[in-house]
Amino acid sequence: MPIRTAVIGFGVSGRVFHAPLVAADPAFELSMIVTSDPARAAAATAEYPATRIVAAPDDLFAAAADLDLVVIGSPNSTHLPLALRAVSAGLDVVTDKPVTVRSGEARSLIRAADEAGRLLTVFQNRRWDGDFLTISEMIRTGRLGHVHQFESAFEWWKPELGAAWKDTTPPGEGGGILYDLGPHLIDQCLQLFGPVDEVHAELDRRRQGAVSDDDSFVTLHHGSGVRSRLWMSAVAPAPRPRFRVVGSRAVATVWGLDPQEAQLMGGQRPNDAGYGIDMSRMITISGPEGEERVPVAAGDYPSFYTGVAAAITNRMPAPVDAADAVAALSVIETHAGRTSPVS
């Protein structure tokens, strides 16, 4: 029997990521989508005619007996109350990142899920970006030597504020680019290099009228000795390399972004030929002996839901341990309220 799944929210998170990934995996049934927006409801109906579309989470929880899993893709401040309702209703839970706005809330949620015997995992999909998978393998095999510095940037050009909640919500409620991209970038370097013992952040508001950071830098010193430097920006006319990793033998550099988000947004689906692949992207390995160009592995967001299915049906470990999300959140919340005014 497939895992009967409800997706809360049909903005970018639910429409672009969760609903297509769930619908493409035969282990799941996309049973319900929750959205109060009439245009989004119409789009969901057109894309998934067999799926029930409801306007509010109350409608979902009224039908909890007909569901197994809830995917929460709504604004950050709603993650905690919705996830608590879900585990109380006997449902397993996937939340978008960040798992909650505050680490103390996240720990309480983990306890509640454990006490209820329910799965709680977090959609850290960037662990399955093709460039990250390739860089991770290079580090694991020692191809770069002993890594000293890890640089990661996620930047775009959007100089005007939009109406989306991420632009209009203050940091204390989970708004801003550190809460948006920080959970991904911080999680990646924690996965590679372990816990941190020193954190420094520079959070700026560049756009007129900004209530939260939109141009931020974080540097972490890991107990392993590696220094990670992370850039996040909505106001970069041209981006830095996506990754630049400095080792004792060589430096690895890759430009551009993993193609999966753009593919999903453009209507390509996980089972389509060429999904996750961008043949134009290469990683350059530079050292005293010259340069070598290495293909980027295919991205693989579907692996997250493969792991969710294994955790639910076979009691395997969750694809993302919720405790990992708490570790990244602890770094973020230390600095999230400390933003400089518009410059």
Side-chain angles (χ1 to χ4, degrees):
M1 178 177 176
I3 298 165
R4 300 166 299 174
T5 304
V7 174
I8 300 179
F10 204 65
V12 171
S13 175
R15 177 178 59 86
V16 175
F17 293 105
H18 295 295
L21 292 171
V22 169
D25 191 323
F28 296 88
E29 173 189 276
L30 183 58
S31 304
M32 184 180 293
I33 293 172
V34 181
T35 178
S36 61
D37 184 287
R40 292 178 178 178
T45 299
E47 178 78 11
Y48 306 105
T51 298
R52 182 182 174 191
I53 313 299
V54 300
D58 285 347
D59 300 316
L60 180 159
F61 292 114
D66 298 322
L67 298 168
D68 304 301
L69 173 68
V70 173
V71 178
I72 301 173
S74 48
N76 294 343
S77 61
T78 68
H79 292 182
L80 178 66
L82 289 173
L84 286 173
R85 287 187 72 180
V87 298
S88 295
L91 300 172
D92 296 315
V93 177
V94 171
T95 73
D96 246 351
K97 52 74 202 169
V99 58
T100 60
V101 176
R102 296 172 182 83
S103 61
E105 296 173 342
R107 294 186 183 97
S108 296
L109 177 56
I110 291 172
R111 286 195 296 271
D114 286 344
E115 290 169 2
R118 306 322 307 173
L119 172 73
L120 172 66
T121 189
V122 185
F123 188 58
Q124 296 288 169
N125 58 301
R126 297 290 172 183
R127 293 188 185 184
W128 289 274
D129 279 358
D131 46 20
F132 182 69
L133 293 172
T134 309
I135 289 287
S136 300
E137 181 67 9
M138 289 180 178
I139 293 171
R140 187 189 67 81
T141 59
R143 187 164 188 176
L144 307 178
H146 178 72
V147 173
H148 304 308
Q149 301 175 26
F150 177 77
E151 298 179 2
S152 174
F154 212 113
E155 302 172 304
W156 60 75
W157 176 238
K158 187 185 173 186
E160 303 297 330
L161 287 172
W165 65 267
K166 291 179 182 180
D167 282 349
T168 60
T169 303
E173 298 174 24
I177 205 161
L178 180 61
Y179 266 108
D180 184 19
L181 298 180
H184 286 312
L185 304 192
I186 294 168
D187 176 74
Q188 287 179 332
C189 58
L190 292 179
Q191 288 297 300
L192 291 174
F193 308 116
V196 301
D197 52 26
E198 179 184 327
V199 181
H200 170 75
E202 300 168 10
L203 312 183
D204 292 301
R205 289 175 284 153
R206 304 293 188 190
R207 295 177 292 185
Q208 191 64 40
V211 298
S212 56
D213 64 299
D214 53 20
D215 186 27
S216 296
F217 168 73
V218 177
T219 181
L220 310 175
H221 185 268
H222 300 264
S224 59
V226 179
R227 175 78 68 181
S228 293
R229 297 181 175 89
L230 314 174
W231 288 268
M232 297 145 266
S233 182
V235 291
R240 292 175 174 83
R242 176 65 186 89
F243 292 112
R244 182 175 182 270
V245 187
V246 181
S248 59
R249 294 176 53 194
V251 176
T253 306
V254 60
W255 293 82
L257 300 178
D258 181 273
Q260 292 175 93
E261 180 174 354
Q263 289 173 339
L264 291 166
M265 192 169 289
Q268 190 169 353
R269 292 297 174 250
N271 295 329
D272 292 344
Y275 173 82
I277 298 171
D278 181 350
M279 298 298 294
S280 69
R281 296 187 72 216
M282 305 286 283
I283 295 179
T284 300
I285 301 177
S286 307
E289 300 175 357
E291 289 189 354
E292 178 185 1
R293 290 168 60 80
V294 177
V296 173
D300 192 16
Y301 294 168
S303 279
F304 173 81
Y305 275 103
T306 299
V308 171
I312 292 173
T313 60
N314 299 324
R315 299 189 178 275
M316 299 295 288
V320 175
D321 190 330
D324 292 347
V326 177
L329 185 58
S330 297
V331 173
I332 291 169
E333 68 179 351
T334 302
H335 297 279
R338 303 177 186 177
T339 57
S340 301
V342 174
S343 55

